[in-house]
Amino acid sequence: MSDNPTKLLIVAGARPNFMKVAPLIHALERHNGARTSQRPPLDRQLTYRLIHTGQHFDEKMSDIFFRELDIPFPDLNLEVGSGSHAAQTANIMLRFEPVCERERPDWVVVVGDVNSTMACTLVAAKMGIRVAHIEAGLRSFDRTMPEETNRIVTDSLADLLLTPSEDASENLRREGIPDGKIRLVGNIMIDSLVTHLDKASERGTLEKLGLKDKGYIYVTLHRPSNVDAKDSLQRIVQELSATARRWPVVFPVHPRTRNRLAEFDLSFTNGNGSGLNLMEPLGYLDSLELTRHARCVLTDSGGLQEESTYFRTPCLTLRPNTERPVTVTIGSNRLTSVSRLRPDLENALQGPERLGQTPPLWDGRTAERIVQTLLEA
Ligand code: UD1
């Protein structure tokens, strides 16, 4: 066995990746004794380089998360930007390959299910570099979602599949992935949430927005299936405009959604008395605070389904399926559609203010378990 530290290349590319790499980076620094003088022997150290693919690039979609999550700025930004799926994936691959050649890592660590996750996995696998996938095994069983392709490709190539929940491990076994590659480690998003709760509650987000605890609906929508077709987006706009006449609605608008609203020339009827507050995308801390205190969350984001479950805030997910079934079976999440939105919202607003339970291993210690698993691997 060599005396050298194990070298990791950690990949992040899009907004939901940053809160997944942050706890890992902090756990690696604790393990390596960066904040004490007690360093493990060289062959037990895990060094890392953080690579940002640049899939997301706006200050509000990227930089703000590095500051709020207290993670170092990336060692390298590949600056790929937007494009079609093929163009974006290919550009990431072209720019990541020389990085792997130069760095020769022992592991490439990828998180989640975005195009950056799949692209970097493909590059590493072809170069014979081991891949660890954090948040492996999630399946919506809906191949129309681009993320489902990313999940299937990534998991079929990865060497270490770090799952957030038992259903995810079970999905992998069913696909024939050997048990030896699968480790149930828990939900790393919740590590970030637990760490940043106090900081989030110090921000005074509700006061700044003039909201009352449990007195508003927090909305985020950006999935292509909801916003890329005019009909669907138009109906969403109508429903939200109607809802906002009765309940304050806070809606930070994702760039994809903003672009589609402009392209389809759609606007909210945001007249007098309307409680609709449309705004730029929010940072991590404000979003946590809004989720925690909302009367109800309406979303199509994976992360918000999980954060709502942790806070036990009733959540309606505007999708026909979810790759995170524990948020429904154990947590506070319910699926809805545009045609059922009005009665489902009504029920949620009349129902209990807190719902469901916290799933197992959503305990803030997932990153520690991942570090131990990498040391053993
Ligand atoms: C991506 C992920 C999705 C994730 C979402 C979170 C894939 C296939 N999709 O979707 O799983 O839920 O991120 O946000 O990887 N744009 C900007 N500024 C930015 C980033 C994007 O203006 O910083 C605009 C661009 O016009 C771009 C559009 O948003 O065309 C969509 O960005 P893209 O990265 O292609 O996909 P997302 O919809 O953000």
Side-chain angles (χ1 to χ4, degrees):
M1 198 174 154
S2 104
D3 284 348
N4 294 328
T6 302
K7 184 170 181 182
L8 316 176
L9 278 192
I10 302 175
V11 175
R15 183 170 65 173
N17 292 163
F18 307 130
M19 45 294 247
K20 295 169 196 165
V21 299
L24 177 64
I25 288 171
H26 294 143
L28 288 170
E29 288 186 348
R30 281 195 301 277
H31 170 79
N32 288 333
R35 293 187 185 171
T36 68
S37 54
Q38 292 183 331
R39 286 189 167 273
L42 265 185
D43 64 348
R44 298 281 296 167
Q45 288 178 26
L46 293 162
T47 60
Y48 73 88
R49 304 256 284 151
L50 177 60
I51 313 297
H52 191 326
T53 64
Q55 177 174 346
H56 283 176
F57 43 86
D58 282 351
E59 142 75 22
K60 290 192 166 71
M61 298 296 286
S62 179
D63 290 10
I64 187 171
F65 294 90
F66 285 81
R67 289 198 303 278
E68 292 192 344
L69 293 161
D70 196 22
I71 31 178
F73 272 90
D75 295 288
L76 189 65
N77 191 323
L78 305 179
E79 295 180 351
V80 294
S82 303
S84 69
H85 283 274
Q88 192 173 57
T89 305
N91 279 331
I92 297 169
M93 290 181 70
L94 283 171
R95 293 179 194 196
F96 188 59
E97 188 178 47
V99 181
C100 288
E101 267 162 7
R102 207 169 52 239
E103 298 285 339
R104 288 276 145 203
D106 298 292
W107 289 93
V108 166
V109 181
V110 295
V111 298
D113 56 15
V114 300
N115 285 347
S116 304
T117 313
M118 179 185 72
C120 294
T121 299
L122 271 166
V123 170
K126 294 220 167 192
M127 294 178 75
I129 301 167
R130 287 180 294 175
V131 175
H133 181 205
I134 299 177
E135 208 183 69
L138 296 184
R139 295 289 181 273
S140 64
F141 303 101
D142 176 355
R143 295 270 179 122
T144 65
M145 287 182 82
E147 294 81 2
E148 187 72 352
T149 306
N150 294 344
R151 294 179 196 118
I152 292 167
V153 173
T154 302
D155 286 343
S156 69
L157 295 175
D159 302 275
L160 184 57
L161 296 123
L162 300 155
T163 65
S165 46
E166 186 46 46
D167 60 281
S169 301
E170 195 45 47
N171 288 337
L172 295 173
R173 283 187 214 107
R174 216 180 305 117
E175 288 173 18
I177 292 179
D179 242 333
K181 288 186 174 182
I182 306 169
R183 299 279 191 292
L184 173 57
V185 289
N187 188 334
I188 200 160
M189 285 273 292
I190 303 303
D191 288 25
S192 268
L193 185 156
V194 170
T195 307
H196 291 88
L197 265 186
D198 289 346
K199 248 194 191 173
S201 58
E202 285 161 13
R203 288 188 56 86
T205 311
L206 266 57
E207 294 92 271
K208 276 186 227 155
L209 295 173
L211 300 167
K212 294 203 181 74
D213 185 25
K214 299 288 162 194
Y216 61 93
I217 304 168
Y218 178 33
V219 178
T220 80
L221 295 167
H222 72 280
R223 294 277 167 204
S225 55
N226 281 324
V227 306
D228 279 4
K230 183 171 181 184
D231 278 2
S232 159
L233 189 56
Q234 189 162 25
R235 290 192 64 189
I236 290 171
V237 166
Q238 284 162 356
E239 286 300 327
L240 288 182
S241 300
T243 303
R245 285 187 209 107
R246 298 181 306 109
W247 270 83
V249 170
V250 187
F251 184 9
V253 185
H254 186 283
R256 173 186 287 277
T257 311
R258 182 191 60 214
N259 295 344
R260 296 295 179 256
L261 285 167
E263 191 183 315
F264 301 143
D265 197 18
L266 295 172
S267 51
F268 291 87
T269 44
N270 196 5
N272 276 349
S274 164
L276 185 60
N277 192 347
L278 299 173
M279 59 187 78
E280 290 287 301
L282 288 172
Y284 180 65
L285 299 174
D286 284 335
S287 181
L288 269 193
E289 198 54 6
L290 286 178
T291 308
R292 182 180 203 171
H293 295 286
R295 182 63 182 83
C296 176
V297 167
L298 171 65
T299 191
D300 55 16
S301 136
L304 268 177
Q305 295 173 50
E306 298 183 333
E307 287 159 355
S308 302
T309 279
Y310 185 87
F311 290 127
R312 304 182 57 220
T313 300
C315 176
L316 289 176
T317 295
L318 192 59
R319 283 180 42 193
N321 48 54
T322 175
E323 60 290 334
R324 293 164 161 87
V326 290
T327 61
V328 175
T329 54
I330 302 179
S332 60
N333 188 22
R334 305 290 175 260
L335 302 181
T336 189
S337 62
V338 185
S339 55
R340 289 204 320 267
L341 188 55
R342 218 172 278 199
D344 284 353
L345 261 176
E346 204 51 50
N347 279 340
L349 295 170
Q350 281 170 13
E353 288 187 355
R354 289 189 190 284
L355 269 185
Q357 303 300 325
T358 311
L361 295 178
W362 290 32
D363 58 358
R365 307 193 60 179
T366 293
E368 274 172 40
R369 288 188 284 270
I370 292 175
V371 168
Q372 286 313 311
T373 308
L374 284 167
L375 284 169
E376 287 156 20

